[in-house]
Amino acid sequence: MKKTYEIEVDCANCANLMEDVTRKTAGVKDAAVNFMAQKMVVEFEEGQNEKAVMKEVLKACKKVEPDCEIEL
């Protein structure tokens, strides 16, 4: 299942780093962050709890950019 989230990210480099850490998060099959559109597309692995996975994604992204926000 793929889902699109609105995000707040300050620079293109941070968006790339957030994309990388999201892809490495357990339960995520693939991810893409579009800095210009301020959107993140996450594809979840089969049978994963989307809300639980996104909590971990947000935690990982906050390590890259502490003031980032993801509209869950």
Side-chain angles (χ1 to χ4, degrees):
M1 167 180 62
K2 274 188 185 179
K3 192 140 184 207
T4 302
Y5 298 92
E6 297 218 1
I7 62 169
E8 240 180 74
V9 61
D10 295 336
C11 70
N13 186 49
C14 291
N16 287 336
L17 293 171
M18 287 170 59
E19 187 175 293
D20 289 344
V21 298
T22 299
R23 284 187 177 137
K24 293 176 184 169
T25 303
V28 174
K29 187 174 183 180
D30 195 21
V33 175
N34 184 322
F35 169 67
M36 295 302 287
Q38 296 283 294
K39 301 235 185 260
M40 172 187 277
V41 178
V42 179
E43 184 176 355
F44 298 94
E45 291 177 354
E46 193 68 36
Q48 292 296 317
N49 179 331
E50 165 203 332
K51 290 192 188 304
V53 172
M54 286 309 295
K55 267 182 137 174
E56 293 304 311
V57 167
L58 181 58
K59 242 190 263 184
C61 288
K62 283 198 176 279
K63 288 179 183 173
V64 172
E65 186 176 302
D67 63 341
C68 97
E69 289 299 327
I70 301 173
E71 296 291 324
L72 304 176

